[in-house]
Amino acid sequence: MGRYVLRRILWMPLVLFVLVAASFFLIRLAPGGPFSAERSVSPEILANMNAKYHLDAPWWEQFARYVGGVLQGDLGPSFKFKDRTVNQILANGIGPTVMLGAIATVLALAIGLVAGTIGAVKQNSVFDYGSMSVATFGMSVPNYVTGPILVLVFALTWKAVPVSGFDVSFALWPMFVVAGMYVLWRGAEWAKSGLGSVTFARESACFWLLVLLLASCAAVTTLVGSPKLILPSVTLALPFASRIARLMRAGMLEVIGQDYVRTARAKGLSETTVVVRHALKGGILPVVSYLGPAIAGVLTGSLVVEKIFNIPGIGREFVEAALSRDYFLVLGIVVLDGALLVSFNLVVDVVYGFLDPRIRYD
Amino acid sequence: MADDTPLLRLDKLSTWFRTDRGPVKAVDGVDLEVRAGESVGVVGESGSGKSVTMLSVMRLVPSPPAQHQGRVLWKGEDVFGWNARRVRKFRGRECAMIFQDPMTSLNPYLKIGLQLTESIELHLGLGHHAARGRAAEMLGRVGIAMPEQRLDDYPHQFSGGMRQRVMIAMALSCDPQLLIADEPTTALDVTIQAQILELIDAQRKAAGTGLVLITHSLGVVAGMCDRTVVMYAGRVVEEGRTEDVFASPRMPYTIGLLKSVPRLDVRETRLVPVPGTPPDPQRLPSGCPFRVRCPWAEDRCAAERPELREVQAPGAARHRIACHVDVTTTPPRHDPASFGKVNP
Amino acid sequence: MAATAPEPDDVPSDGPWAQAWKRLRRNRMAMAGLVVVLAMALSAVLAPWIVPFDPREMERWTGALAPGTRHLELCNEMVVERGKAPRPQDVPTAVGKAAVDGAAHVWRIEVQDEVTTLLRVTVDGGKIQQIGEGGKRHTTLEIAEDEFIRVKDGGAVVRVPVLAVGGVLPAPAPQQAGRFVVMVERVKRPPEAKRTVEIALGTDGKVTTVTSAGVPVDGEMRVRAENVRDTSLDGARIEHSHPLGTDQEGRDVLARVLFGARISLLVGIVATFVSLSIGVFYGAIAGFAGGRTDVFMMRVVDVLYALPYIFLVIILLVAFGRSLVMLFIALGLVQWLTPARVVRGQILSLKRREFVDASVTLGATPWTILIRHLIPNTMGVVVVFTTLTIPAVILEESFLSFIGLTVLFRGEPIDSWGALVDYGRNALGGDGERWWLLVFPAAAMSLTLFSLNFLGDGLRDALDPRQKGRG
Ligand SMILES: Nc1ncnc2c1ncn2[C@@H]1O[C@H](COP(=O)(O)OP(=O)(O)OP(=O)(O)O)[C@@H](O)[C@H]1O
Ligand SMILES: [Mg+2]
């Protein structure tokens, strides 16, 4: 396991470097500099500005300078907001983006896994057909369509939720803590009665399910406390929840047909134990390998959702920065998102290794 | 057991599969008995319904789309009438099953230890430590070295033969009264086959467990089983003490089977199927399903389905066949030499 | 025994493609998808013949019209002159057509002229500072029932009952920080300023007479669209109908959706072609070369897989301009990785087949084998990927349009579905009263994507039945 994780960790800097280099040279190769758009600038001032930001240095020096800066945690100045550095801008924007992304991911996982599992266990039931139709729809329709449609229906016509903006309130979290304790207590009870005499602590699937349950409780409590986040989170989560539901259902169906599930039944285990202990681990693997692309999708989706709902995150910042050629800001956001993505992929790979011993012991 | 009730009795058991092309009757009115401590061999061509019969006993055929008719009696109780809780006690505790393919029958994502202890904890009510001890003991008994350490390994770290040993340990770990072994050795190479079979036989004899052994190898049946059941097209066509069936087979299909084996005394001989195609379970011929391949076939065979009937056997032992013809007195209508060749 | 007749399904009498088609035809959803996709493509191609409007042609005076509205067909300003043939851009299409059909016609326009007075409103810090009318200054100015206020020269109508110093001049009047001046018109349409204009067209297509309120007019006659109450040609109203309504600039939504389909589908098809070409060749070469080359090429794919691609595409478009070609390249570069992996896998297994050995012994060069024998055998995969990549590319293109990176064609943005959805979203209004601007483009896009996905799934099942039911 150690070697496997190490290999994955060594993979990270390489991907990040390629990303930074590709973005840097794409920008540098492009005709025109950041200040060529500003008409009123005289040649001397232009030269001055270029010198100040080292834009007149040879490209390799600029690149080395930039990479050096990034390694020291300095993402450079912003051209557009002259009084702020990229670091400051990102520090302001990362909160809403990560908050929204986390809520959406947790919602998508919770809904997708539950719907997919039930769909597989109760194959061809009304629930199965219903949820799969919704999922197919949710997967095909992009979030820049669902978002505005949700706004039209729920915010403008029905006026059930606010249209846009961002403010989070954790006022309901005490309630969540109480609810969480209750869930933990009930979970332990349920595990004792529902899973036979097998001790709860050894059921790794149960542990993860519980973590997910607590996380979704936290997400839902936050949403109830801050209604402005409901539509953006739902918009962001919908395509992923749909995809996860379909993957989970297909994965579970395949596993449930396997010989080893029949073996488990032949031992006299209850249906819950068979599903939770024997089928879930194999069935969830396709979902786990989809999580990497899903997180990339959440980051991309945040560009859209932040625009639609007017949320001051780095996604909205990126679009504006790109349109106004604020190079260091663009690069900074790419570096940040890339780092987020790569580290998340690492986590996903490690989780995959934990789930599938055949990979771990390779 | 004191009274005369058999451990397991199948009473006209039929199992259908609903498929896209209409229902398939995989098991068709099977009558069968297993007594405590007895070992019964089930032979028949591939597709004759051996596995489905045994899965039906365990109620492991997914239903729907499968449907059952008839009864399965466990010590006189109807298995199909049981609730889920009773069925779970039956599975694993009273009746255990070893499956055809050890490579896919163990869960690749879970440690062997967990897979062994879960049924021990469930059925024997042992605590975690005691269950681990018993699991290690069972592994040791089936001949796996360093059993304590191996409990923490995953199935992919075992060879095929070792996995089948693990399966056997798993099946025997709760001291079942009946063990169903569905071709436990087909996926293994020849040298290991013999070891595994000996292991099953020894364990069974030691614990007095009843055994149903499904196999393609007549040699194995001859060596291990008290009674032999021959199946054809989802039906039992001959049934009796192993020595009676092998010495004086009375059903033409059995005769063909035995003829196709060159030497009965060699254990590892594979059963060479009787030439001619086994019938499509969806379009069985009328009357006796074997008649189209049978040298003794008469008009009656097409008109009337032969029921199992008793025939005389030495020492008043039970010997039953499903055939209209008495092969001991009637000569075959077709050239007996052509029997065993592919029909035109 | 008579040999049982083999099932008709098992007869390999048709080739694999015919069999796949048969399987596909049995899949209802996939066939429905195919029909919808074909219909959408066909209407995109035939768009100019289906709707009589140019998607960019604005009829600002109509404003946003609800779906199904019919309204008078007008030009922004209509100009005719006695003795001259009317120019098509100066008159409604119906009149333009009538002028050249060799018969005489009468074109009648009911005009309601407006009386305007010019107001000069000075705004400072959002508050009105001064209202000037001619030489006078007002402190409050009541706007009567039959009057309204409009930004000068046919600009937006500002709905306020009263203008007062210290009050606000609400949007859509221009809003700026600091002090600025807005010229607005106070518009009145008195009943006595109604007149009928009658224009007679001769058989030669020239205007024979022009009368206004019965008085002959010599020289140019101009009528502005917003003053027209009714217009008819030979007694029949000249009308447009907008089945899907119009947007706030008076552009026909149906035309916009259909022309948007053109650009979306075009980008989808071309970029898919680009990416599949790259993917198939890359994968084929990697698989065929094998060994270290293969390992290296696949490692590159692994690295690229881990990149957040859309960011690079955005940078590419921003840096090198948002031309159509750039868009094809940028989107083509995104989607080639998966086909490359799959094709490599296929080639690896095909390579071991006998026919390759046979060709080698016959003296074929590696390239011939690759191009003649191996790549054609991967066409099943390619077809499946085509139907699955097209929606993905359409999604991406629309995504880019949506966030503001519309493709520019000769400096003008071409509105694809994504841009229409973005426009519709912004134009919804406070209560969602202009829903059609969002709903129709969104529906067209969703329906097409939905159908393409179903078709893709169906094709995958049809071409590779073993994979059925995955993901
Ligand atoms: N899930 C199923 N759906 C439809 N038909 C099935 C199903 N499972 C088994 N069958 C059919 O039931 C019949 C009996 O199958 P079974 O597995 O019992 O044969 P078998 O005697 O065990 O053969 P083998 O020696 O090859 O294991 C076969 O014709 C098979 O096609
Ligand atoms: Mg079998």
Side-chain angles (χ1 to χ4, degrees):
Chain A
M1 189 75 196
R3 269 185 51 205
Y4 169 76
V5 175
L6 196 71
R7 249 205 335 255
R8 294 279 119 191
I9 290 181
L10 290 179
W11 192 238
M12 280 176 69
L14 176 65
V15 172
L16 268 183
F17 181 80
V18 171
L19 180 62
V20 173
S23 327
F24 188 88
F25 290 114
L26 274 183
I27 288 182
R28 293 280 76 208
L29 282 176
F35 307 116
S36 56
E38 296 179 31
R39 274 163 263 153
S40 54
V41 178
S42 68
E44 304 93 77
I45 298 181
L46 191 63
N48 249 337
M49 300 255 271
N50 279 342
K52 183 179 162 205
Y53 295 120
H54 304 286
L55 296 182
D56 49 356
W59 61 266
W60 51 267
E61 194 190 318
Q62 289 184 37
F63 183 60
R65 228 177 249 286
Y66 185 72
V67 172
V70 169
L71 288 180
Q72 289 163 24
D74 173 17
L75 295 170
S78 162
F79 299 138
K80 196 164 157 237
F81 308 97
K82 299 211 169 63
D83 49 342
R84 289 197 291 166
T85 65
V86 172
N87 286 29
Q88 287 164 337
I89 297 174
L90 293 191
N92 284 340
I94 187 115
T97 302
V98 167
M99 181 90 207
L100 211 58
I103 293 181
T105 311
V106 168
L107 283 187
L109 267 176
I111 297 173
L113 292 184
V114 170
T117 308
I118 297 180
V121 174
K122 302 237 180 295
Q123 198 192 352
N124 298 331
S125 64
V126 177
F127 178 89
D128 185 26
Y129 284 123
S131 61
M132 281 309 117
S133 312
V134 174
T136 311
F137 191 76
M139 237 174 66
S140 322
V141 181
N143 44 21
Y144 45 85
V145 169
T146 41
I149 294 281
L150 286 179
V151 168
L152 174 64
V153 175
F154 291 101
L156 298 179
T157 310
W158 190 19
K159 299 202 187 299
V161 282
V163 184
S164 67
F166 181 84
D167 75 77
V168 197
S169 134
F170 297 105
L172 291 178
W173 272 57
M175 252 177 69
F176 157 66
V177 173
V178 174
M181 306 277 274
Y182 180 75
V183 165
L184 271 177
W185 175 61
R186 289 298 302 173
E189 293 263 291
W190 171 73
K192 256 188 246 155
S193 61
L195 294 177
S197 60
V198 179
T199 45
F200 176 71
R202 277 164 55 214
E203 213 61 64
S204 62
C206 277
F207 174 74
W208 290 110
L209 284 183
L210 206 68
V211 169
L212 185 62
L213 198 65
L214 289 181
S216 19
C217 280
V220 170
T221 338
T222 316
L223 287 187
V224 172
S226 4
K228 280 191 177 173
L229 291 187
I230 295 179
L231 286 188
S233 321
V234 171
T235 307
L236 199 51
L238 188 64
F240 305 109
S242 309
R243 187 67 182 267
I244 289 173
R246 287 183 46 131
L247 284 174
M248 188 66 192
R249 177 176 175 274
M252 285 296 279
L253 276 184
E254 185 158 341
V255 169
I256 284 176
Q258 295 283 321
D259 286 353
Y260 62 78
V261 171
R262 191 179 59 189
T263 310
R265 291 213 175 97
K267 285 184 210 171
L269 301 175
S270 71
E271 202 51 27
T272 321
T273 316
V274 170
V275 170
V276 172
R277 188 186 295 156
H278 286 269
L280 217 51
K281 260 192 169 178
I284 209 170
L285 286 180
V287 175
V288 174
S289 31
Y290 167 67
L291 282 184
I295 290 303
V298 166
L299 286 177
T300 316
S302 72
L303 302 188
V304 166
V305 169
E306 287 172 14
K307 178 178 155 132
I308 298 176
F309 296 97
N310 203 14
I311 291 163
I314 52 175
R316 205 181 58 171
E317 215 71 77
F318 179 79
V319 176
E320 283 165 15
L323 288 175
S324 61
R325 297 189 163 203
D326 191 345
Y327 289 167
F328 283 126
L329 187 50
V330 168
L331 278 175
I333 293 173
V334 171
V335 170
L336 181 67
D337 277 355
L340 277 179
L341 193 62
V342 170
S343 13
F344 197 84
N345 271 329
L346 175 75
V347 174
V348 167
D349 281 345
V350 171
V351 169
Y352 201 104
F354 262 113
L355 286 174
D356 191 347
R358 284 169 298 187
I359 289 203
R360 195 186 328 161
Y361 289 92
D362 234 1
Chain B
M1 276 194 307
D3 65 314
D4 206 33
T5 324
L7 199 56
L8 177 72
R9 206 182 119 210
L10 307 194
D11 181 13
K12 299 249 172 306
L13 175 72
S14 301
T15 302
W16 281 274
F17 288 103
R18 242 184 285 138
T19 65
D20 296 343
R21 303 184 186 177
V24 174
K25 206 171 194 179
V27 178
D28 186 1
V30 166
D31 278 332
L32 196 144
E33 270 184 26
V34 185
R35 287 167 188 281
E38 187 185 31
S39 72
V40 176
V42 179
V43 293
E45 273 167 321
S46 189
S48 54
K50 307 181 297 285
S51 300
V52 175
T53 306
M54 290 309 147
L55 287 174
S56 304
V57 169
M58 299 282 282
R59 283 183 50 178
L60 280 174
V61 190
S63 95
Q67 278 181 329
H68 301 292
Q69 213 177 51
R71 291 189 302 170
V72 173
L73 299 172
W74 176 257
K75 296 182 186 166
E77 285 176 61
D78 188 358
V79 170
F80 291 139
W82 285 346
N83 62 13
R85 180 175 285 259
R86 180 67 187 86
V87 171
R88 290 207 298 271
K89 191 180 155 215
F90 173 62
R91 293 180 187 161
R93 179 74 180 101
E94 295 172 340
C95 176
M97 189 154 177
I98 301 173
F99 293 98
Q100 212 159 341
D101 188 355
M103 307 309 267
T104 58
S105 293
L106 287 172
N107 191 329
Y109 305 114
L110 300 177
K111 287 179 183 169
I112 292 297
L114 176 61
Q115 301 192 49
L116 277 166
T117 52
E118 62 180 351
S119 50
I120 298 176
E121 288 179 19
L122 182 70
H123 292 305
L124 303 186
L126 296 185
H128 178 53
H129 281 285
R132 259 183 94 85
R134 168 134 181 108
E137 181 201 324
M138 291 307 298
L139 278 191
R141 245 201 261 169
V142 295
I144 286 178
M146 298 194 300
E148 280 86 9
Q149 282 95 308
R150 299 310 301 257
L151 283 180
D152 288 323
D153 282 349
Y154 287 91
H156 72 272
Q157 292 161 302
F158 289 78
S159 72
M162 284 160 90
R163 280 187 228 184
Q164 192 61 300
R165 284 163 196 266
V166 173
M167 285 296 294
I168 294 169
M170 200 181 278
L172 292 174
S173 62
C174 299
D175 292 328
Q177 291 154 356
L178 178 66
L179 177 68
I180 300 176
D182 185 356
E183 302 181 34
T185 56
T186 15
L188 305 176
D189 77 66
V190 185
T191 47
I192 299 173
Q193 284 181 13
Q195 291 176 15
I196 297 278
L197 288 169
E198 261 156 34
L199 186 70
I200 293 179
D201 203 32
Q203 295 295 320
R204 179 184 84 76
K205 285 198 174 116
T209 313
L211 172 72
V212 174
L213 178 69
I214 300 176
T215 177
H216 280 161
S217 168
L218 287 178
V220 169
V221 175
M224 270 176 78
C225 299
D226 306 329
R227 279 192 309 120
T228 301
V229 173
V230 181
M231 283 186 71
Y232 185 79
R235 301 173 190 185
V236 173
V237 290
E238 177 149 13
E239 191 254 286
R241 285 196 324 207
T242 302
E243 53 267 37
D244 297 343
V245 172
F246 276 69
S248 55
R250 305 288 291 271
M251 160 76 196
Y253 176 62
T254 319
I255 298 175
L257 278 184
L258 292 173
K259 263 200 180 174
S260 61
V261 179
R263 279 160 49 200
L264 284 182
D265 46 356
V266 178
R267 294 198 71 172
E268 282 79 35
T269 324
R270 300 284 302 166
L271 185 150
V272 181
V274 180
T277 40
D280 179 350
Q282 261 195 305
R283 310 156 201 233
L284 287 182
S286 62
C288 173
F290 185 62
R291 68 176 164 86
V292 287
R293 296 161 79 188
C294 177
W296 278 271
E298 308 171 348
D299 295 343
R300 192 150 68 114
C301 298
E304 211 182 306
R305 175 179 162 169
E307 296 298 327
L308 266 185
R309 62 183 173 99
E310 297 262 349
V311 291
Q312 228 182 332
R318 208 158 79 139
H319 189 169
R320 298 190 300 169
I321 59 170
C323 186
H324 293 305
V325 186
D326 188 352
V327 289
T328 49
T329 54
T330 323
R333 301 183 137 209
H334 310 290
D335 179 12
S338 79
F339 191 51
K341 291 201 185 121
V342 179
N343 279 16
Chain C
M1 184 185 91
T4 50
E7 279 287 304
D9 285 339
D10 303 336
V11 189
S13 58
D14 328 315
W17 289 100
Q19 281 190 25
W21 172 239
K22 227 184 227 167
R23 277 195 290 265
L24 185 68
R25 267 209 325 239
R26 251 184 271 145
N27 185 338
R28 289 229 186 116
M29 292 309 280
M31 286 315 281
L34 182 64
V35 170
V36 171
V37 168
L38 287 181
M40 190 58 83
L42 203 66
S43 15
V45 172
L46 298 180
W49 292 275
I50 294 176
V51 281
F53 307 103
D54 183 319
R56 283 165 308 182
E57 182 186 308
M58 301 189 182
E59 298 176 302
R60 279 231 168 90
W61 59 90
T62 67
L65 296 176
T69 316
R70 302 172 70 82
H71 73 95
L72 297 175
E73 184 197 344
L74 300 168
C75 291
N76 200 2
E77 191 169 39
M78 289 162 285
V79 187
V80 284
E81 191 174 355
R82 195 159 70 91
K84 285 191 182 165
R87 295 188 307 166
Q89 67 266 37
D90 290 339
V91 292
T93 328
V95 176
K97 278 190 190 144
V100 293
D101 69 357
H105 296 279
V106 178
W107 175 26
R108 188 180 309 231
I109 313 174
E110 306 290 340
V111 184
Q112 163 75 73
D113 282 322
E114 48 187 38
V115 181
T116 58
T117 39
L118 198 59
L119 304 175
R120 188 187 152 89
V121 182
T122 314
V123 183
D124 191 357
K127 293 263 187 306
I128 297 175
Q129 295 289 315
Q130 230 178 52
I131 307 169
E133 181 176 10
K136 286 182 291 182
R137 292 234 172 125
H138 299 282
T139 45
T140 46
L141 188 66
E142 296 266 345
I143 314 295
E145 279 289 298
D146 56 345
E147 289 178 329
F148 61 93
I149 286 202
R150 184 172 66 192
V151 180
K152 194 175 171 285
D153 287 336
V157 173
V158 186
R159 303 210 179 274
V160 275
V162 67
L163 272 185
V165 170
V168 292
L169 185 62
Q175 310 282 318
Q176 287 171 29
R179 189 186 171 85
F180 65 102
V181 174
V182 191
M183 301 302 286
V184 294
E185 290 168 319
R186 182 170 159 202
V187 186
K188 196 171 181 153
R189 290 174 170 157
E192 60 273 18
K194 266 189 185 154
R195 60 190 167 116
T196 305
V197 174
E198 223 172 69
I199 299 143
L201 288 166
T203 48
D204 56 353
K206 298 214 167 97
V207 177
T208 44
T209 53
V210 179
T211 60
S212 171
V215 182
V217 180
D218 267 333
E220 238 180 31
M221 166 87 201
R222 284 173 181 267
V223 181
R224 284 179 55 163
E226 59 263 43
N227 298 342
V228 174
R229 288 292 155 273
D230 204 356
T231 177
S232 60
L233 186 69
D234 302 327
R237 272 187 120 198
I238 313 178
E239 278 182 328
H240 269 335
S241 83
H242 296 285
L244 302 188
T246 65
D247 68 11
Q248 285 175 309
E249 276 73 40
R251 292 173 289 196
D252 182 65
V253 172
L254 180 61
R256 301 247 290 159
V257 168
L258 290 186
F259 279 85
R262 286 186 145 193
I263 175 80
S264 284
L265 293 179
L266 179 74
V267 170
I269 290 166
V270 177
T272 298
F273 179 77
V274 172
S275 64
L276 280 178
S277 311
I278 301 176
V280 168
F281 272 95
Y282 193 93
I285 289 172
F288 192 65
R292 282 207 196 147
T293 324
D294 178 31
V295 170
F296 175 76
M297 288 174 82
M298 283 301 121
R299 278 283 168 275
V300 170
V301 169
D302 286 346
V303 174
L304 294 182
Y305 243 114
L307 296 183
Y309 242 101
I310 205 73
F311 292 94
L312 293 184
V313 169
I314 293 175
I315 295 176
L316 199 67
L317 284 180
V318 169
F320 291 92
R322 285 135 59 186
S323 69
L324 213 46
V325 175
M326 210 60 228
L327 187 75
F328 292 151
I329 295 176
L331 291 180
L333 282 178
V334 180
Q335 296 286 348
W336 63 274
L337 296 171
T338 315
R341 273 191 181 170
V342 174
V343 166
R344 167 183 170 268
Q346 290 240 320
I347 296 278
L348 276 184
S349 68
L350 283 172
K351 216 165 57 163
R352 284 191 273 276
R353 297 263 197 86
E354 311 79 51
F355 65 86
V356 174
D357 294 336
S359 326
V360 171
T361 41
L362 289 176
T365 67
W367 275 107
T368 340
I369 296 175
L370 188 63
I371 292 176
R372 286 264 178 75
H373 300 289
L374 294 181
I375 291 184
N377 267 303
T378 63
M379 278 306 128
V381 182
V382 172
V383 169
V384 172
F385 269 105
T386 307
T387 47
L388 293 177
T389 308
I390 291 179
V393 173
I394 291 179
L395 272 180
E396 266 152 20
E397 187 279 327
S398 294
F399 165 81
L400 293 172
S401 296
F402 182 86
I403 63 169
L405 293 170
T406 2
V407 195
L408 299 178
F409 183 67
R410 302 208 183 105
E412 292 230 349
I414 326 180
D415 289 338
S416 71
W417 283 334
L420 295 187
V421 170
D422 189 30
Y423 177 93
R425 171 182 86 83
N426 283 317
L428 276 176
D431 295 320
E433 60 268 18
R434 287 182 286 278
W435 51 270
W436 60 92
L437 297 181
L438 170 65
V439 168
F440 292 122
M445 180 153 93
S446 310
L447 193 63
T448 309
L449 293 172
F450 208 46
S451 309
L452 274 167
N453 279 331
F454 266 115
L455 181 60
D457 282 350
L459 271 177
R460 186 180 51 190
D461 294 349
L463 286 168
D464 187 3
R466 281 163 304 151
Q467 289 272 314
K468 199 165 178 168
R470 291 273 170 85

